[in-house]
Short mmCIF file of all heavy atoms in Angstrom, two decimals:
data_model
loop_
_atom_site.label_atom_id
_atom_site.label_comp_id
_atom_site.label_asym_id
_atom_site.label_seq_id
_atom_site.Cartn_x
_atom_site.Cartn_y
_atom_site.Cartn_z
N LYS A 138 -13.78 6.52 -5.86
CA LYS A 138 -13.56 5.12 -5.48
C LYS A 138 -12.44 4.52 -6.33
O LYS A 138 -11.59 3.76 -5.82
CB LYS A 138 -14.84 4.31 -5.65
CG LYS A 138 -15.90 4.59 -4.59
CD LYS A 138 -17.10 3.69 -4.80
CE LYS A 138 -18.16 3.93 -3.71
NZ LYS A 138 -19.36 3.07 -3.90
N ALA A 139 -12.45 4.85 -7.61
CA ALA A 139 -11.39 4.35 -8.50
C ALA A 139 -10.03 4.89 -8.08
O ALA A 139 -9.01 4.20 -8.17
CB ALA A 139 -11.69 4.73 -9.94
N ILE A 140 -10.00 6.15 -7.61
CA ILE A 140 -8.75 6.73 -7.12
C ILE A 140 -8.22 5.91 -5.94
O ILE A 140 -7.03 5.61 -5.85
CB ILE A 140 -8.95 8.20 -6.72
CG1 ILE A 140 -9.22 9.06 -7.96
CG2 ILE A 140 -7.74 8.74 -5.97
CD1 ILE A 140 -9.66 10.48 -7.64
N GLY A 141 -9.12 5.56 -5.01
CA GLY A 141 -8.72 4.76 -3.86
C GLY A 141 -8.16 3.41 -4.27
O GLY A 141 -7.13 2.95 -3.73
N LYS A 142 -8.82 2.77 -5.26
CA LYS A 142 -8.33 1.48 -5.72
C LYS A 142 -6.98 1.62 -6.42
O LYS A 142 -6.10 0.77 -6.28
CB LYS A 142 -9.35 0.84 -6.66
CG LYS A 142 -10.60 0.36 -5.95
CD LYS A 142 -11.55 -0.33 -6.91
CE LYS A 142 -12.78 -0.86 -6.18
NZ LYS A 142 -13.72 -1.54 -7.09
N ALA A 143 -6.83 2.72 -7.19
CA ALA A 143 -5.56 2.95 -7.87
C ALA A 143 -4.42 3.14 -6.87
O ALA A 143 -3.30 2.66 -7.06
CB ALA A 143 -5.66 4.16 -8.80
N ARG A 144 -4.72 3.85 -5.77
CA ARG A 144 -3.70 4.04 -4.74
C ARG A 144 -3.31 2.72 -4.07
O ARG A 144 -2.13 2.47 -3.81
CB ARG A 144 -4.21 5.03 -3.70
CG ARG A 144 -4.24 6.48 -4.20
CD ARG A 144 -4.88 7.40 -3.19
NE ARG A 144 -4.85 8.79 -3.66
CZ ARG A 144 -5.52 9.78 -3.07
NH1 ARG A 144 -6.27 9.54 -1.98
NH2 ARG A 144 -5.44 11.00 -3.55
N SER A 145 -4.32 1.89 -3.80
CA SER A 145 -4.03 0.58 -3.21
C SER A 145 -3.20 -0.27 -4.17
O SER A 145 -2.26 -0.96 -3.77
CB SER A 145 -5.34 -0.14 -2.87
OG SER A 145 -6.04 0.54 -1.87
N LEU A 146 -3.57 -0.21 -5.46
CA LEU A 146 -2.83 -0.97 -6.46
C LEU A 146 -1.39 -0.47 -6.56
O LEU A 146 -0.45 -1.25 -6.68
CB LEU A 146 -3.52 -0.86 -7.81
CG LEU A 146 -2.87 -1.61 -8.99
CD1 LEU A 146 -2.79 -3.09 -8.68
CD2 LEU A 146 -3.64 -1.37 -10.27
N THR A 147 -1.23 0.86 -6.48
CA THR A 147 0.11 1.45 -6.55
C THR A 147 0.98 0.96 -5.41
O THR A 147 2.13 0.56 -5.60
CB THR A 147 0.03 2.98 -6.51
OG1 THR A 147 -0.73 3.43 -7.64
CG2 THR A 147 1.40 3.60 -6.56
N ARG A 148 0.44 0.94 -4.20
CA ARG A 148 1.21 0.47 -3.05
C ARG A 148 1.47 -1.02 -3.15
O ARG A 148 2.50 -1.51 -2.69
CB ARG A 148 0.46 0.79 -1.75
CG ARG A 148 0.40 2.27 -1.47
CD ARG A 148 -0.25 2.56 -0.13
NE ARG A 148 0.62 2.18 0.98
CZ ARG A 148 0.36 2.47 2.24
NH1 ARG A 148 -0.73 3.16 2.57
NH2 ARG A 148 1.19 2.10 3.20
N GLY A 149 0.54 -1.76 -3.77
CA GLY A 149 0.75 -3.19 -3.93
C GLY A 149 1.83 -3.50 -4.94
O GLY A 149 2.59 -4.45 -4.78
N VAL A 150 1.91 -2.68 -6.00
CA VAL A 150 2.94 -2.89 -7.02
C VAL A 150 4.30 -2.45 -6.52
O VAL A 150 5.31 -3.13 -6.71
CB VAL A 150 2.57 -2.12 -8.31
CG1 VAL A 150 3.72 -2.15 -9.31
CG2 VAL A 150 1.32 -2.72 -8.94
N TYR A 151 4.35 -1.28 -5.87
CA TYR A 151 5.63 -0.80 -5.35
C TYR A 151 5.37 -0.01 -4.07
O TYR A 151 4.82 1.10 -4.12
CB TYR A 151 6.35 0.09 -6.37
CG TYR A 151 7.73 0.46 -5.91
CD1 TYR A 151 8.76 -0.47 -6.00
CD2 TYR A 151 8.01 1.70 -5.37
CE1 TYR A 151 10.04 -0.17 -5.56
CE2 TYR A 151 9.29 2.02 -4.93
CZ TYR A 151 10.29 1.07 -5.03
OH TYR A 151 11.56 1.37 -4.58
N PRO A 152 5.74 -0.56 -2.93
CA PRO A 152 5.45 0.09 -1.65
C PRO A 152 6.39 1.25 -1.35
O PRO A 152 7.26 1.16 -0.49
CB PRO A 152 5.63 -1.05 -0.64
CG PRO A 152 6.68 -1.93 -1.27
CD PRO A 152 6.42 -1.85 -2.76
N ALA A 153 6.23 2.33 -2.10
CA ALA A 153 7.09 3.50 -1.88
C ALA A 153 6.91 4.02 -0.46
O ALA A 153 5.79 4.08 0.05
CB ALA A 153 6.76 4.58 -2.90
N GLY A 154 8.01 4.41 0.16
CA GLY A 154 7.94 4.95 1.51
C GLY A 154 7.88 3.91 2.60
O GLY A 154 7.72 4.25 3.77
N LEU A 155 8.02 2.64 2.23
CA LEU A 155 7.96 1.58 3.24
C LEU A 155 9.19 1.66 4.14
O LEU A 155 10.33 1.55 3.68
CB LEU A 155 7.90 0.22 2.55
CG LEU A 155 7.99 -1.02 3.46
CD1 LEU A 155 6.89 -1.00 4.50
CD2 LEU A 155 7.94 -2.29 2.62
N VAL A 156 8.97 1.86 5.41
CA VAL A 156 10.04 1.86 6.41
C VAL A 156 9.85 0.66 7.32
O VAL A 156 8.80 0.00 7.30
CB VAL A 156 10.06 3.17 7.23
CG1 VAL A 156 10.37 4.35 6.32
CG2 VAL A 156 8.72 3.38 7.93
N ALA A 157 10.87 0.38 8.12
CA ALA A 157 10.86 -0.85 8.92
C ALA A 157 9.61 -0.99 9.78
O ALA A 157 8.99 -2.04 9.84
CB ALA A 157 12.12 -0.89 9.80
N GLY A 158 9.20 0.09 10.45
CA GLY A 158 8.06 -0.01 11.36
C GLY A 158 6.71 -0.01 10.69
O GLY A 158 5.69 -0.27 11.33
N ALA A 159 6.67 0.29 9.37
CA ALA A 159 5.39 0.40 8.67
C ALA A 159 4.97 -0.88 7.96
O ALA A 159 3.91 -0.90 7.33
CB ALA A 159 5.44 1.55 7.67
N LEU A 160 5.79 -1.93 8.04
CA LEU A 160 5.49 -3.15 7.30
C LEU A 160 4.09 -3.70 7.59
O LEU A 160 3.37 -4.06 6.65
CB LEU A 160 6.55 -4.22 7.58
CG LEU A 160 6.34 -5.56 6.87
CD1 LEU A 160 6.29 -5.38 5.36
CD2 LEU A 160 7.45 -6.54 7.25
N PRO A 161 3.63 -3.79 8.85
CA PRO A 161 2.28 -4.32 9.09
C PRO A 161 1.19 -3.52 8.38
O PRO A 161 0.23 -4.10 7.87
CB PRO A 161 2.13 -4.22 10.62
CG PRO A 161 3.53 -4.24 11.14
CD PRO A 161 4.33 -3.51 10.11
N ASP A 162 1.34 -2.19 8.30
CA ASP A 162 0.34 -1.38 7.62
C ASP A 162 0.32 -1.68 6.12
O ASP A 162 -0.76 -1.75 5.51
CB ASP A 162 0.64 0.11 7.83
CG ASP A 162 0.45 0.53 9.28
OD1 ASP A 162 -0.37 -0.10 9.98
OD2 ASP A 162 1.14 1.46 9.73
N TYR A 163 1.47 -1.87 5.54
CA TYR A 163 1.53 -2.19 4.12
C TYR A 163 0.96 -3.58 3.84
O TYR A 163 0.33 -3.81 2.81
CB TYR A 163 2.97 -2.09 3.61
CG TYR A 163 3.38 -0.68 3.27
CD1 TYR A 163 3.66 0.25 4.28
CD2 TYR A 163 3.49 -0.25 1.95
CE1 TYR A 163 4.04 1.55 3.98
CE2 TYR A 163 3.87 1.04 1.64
CZ TYR A 163 4.14 1.95 2.66
OH TYR A 163 4.50 3.23 2.36
N LEU A 164 1.20 -4.51 4.76
CA LEU A 164 0.63 -5.84 4.60
C LEU A 164 -0.89 -5.81 4.74
O LEU A 164 -1.60 -6.57 4.06
CB LEU A 164 1.24 -6.80 5.63
CG LEU A 164 2.73 -7.11 5.44
CD1 LEU A 164 3.23 -8.04 6.54
CD2 LEU A 164 3.01 -7.72 4.07
N LYS A 165 -1.40 -4.92 5.59
CA LYS A 165 -2.86 -4.75 5.69
C LYS A 165 -3.43 -4.25 4.37
O LYS A 165 -4.49 -4.72 3.92
CB LYS A 165 -3.19 -3.77 6.81
CG LYS A 165 -2.99 -4.30 8.21
CD LYS A 165 -3.29 -3.24 9.26
CE LYS A 165 -3.00 -3.75 10.67
NZ LYS A 165 -3.22 -2.67 11.68
N ASP A 166 -2.74 -3.30 3.74
CA ASP A 166 -3.18 -2.81 2.44
C ASP A 166 -3.17 -3.93 1.41
O ASP A 166 -4.08 -4.04 0.58
CB ASP A 166 -2.28 -1.67 1.97
CG ASP A 166 -2.52 -0.38 2.75
OD1 ASP A 166 -3.56 -0.29 3.44
OD2 ASP A 166 -1.68 0.53 2.67
N MET A 167 -2.12 -4.75 1.44
CA MET A 167 -2.04 -5.87 0.52
C MET A 167 -3.20 -6.83 0.73
O MET A 167 -3.85 -7.28 -0.23
CB MET A 167 -0.71 -6.63 0.70
CG MET A 167 -0.55 -7.83 -0.22
SD MET A 167 0.72 -9.00 0.34
CE MET A 167 2.16 -7.98 0.32
N ALA A 168 -3.48 -7.14 2.01
CA ALA A 168 -4.57 -8.05 2.33
C ALA A 168 -5.91 -7.50 1.84
O ALA A 168 -6.73 -8.22 1.26
CB ALA A 168 -4.62 -8.30 3.84
#
């Protein structure tokens, strides 16, 4: 569970791999 939270935190700090069409998915992770 901590690994999952760390991954979410990582994407929240720096959305590596974010491409134009993936923005809604990254915003869902942020939410």
Side-chain angles (χ1 to χ4, degrees):
K138 287 183 178 179
I140 291 171
K142 289 183 178 180
R144 287 174 177 169
S145 295
L146 180 59
T147 299
R148 292 184 71 172
V150 171
Y151 187 77
L155 173 58
V156 296
L160 179 58
D162 293 331
Y163 277 75
L164 293 179
K165 288 178 184 176
D166 287 345
M167 179 198 299

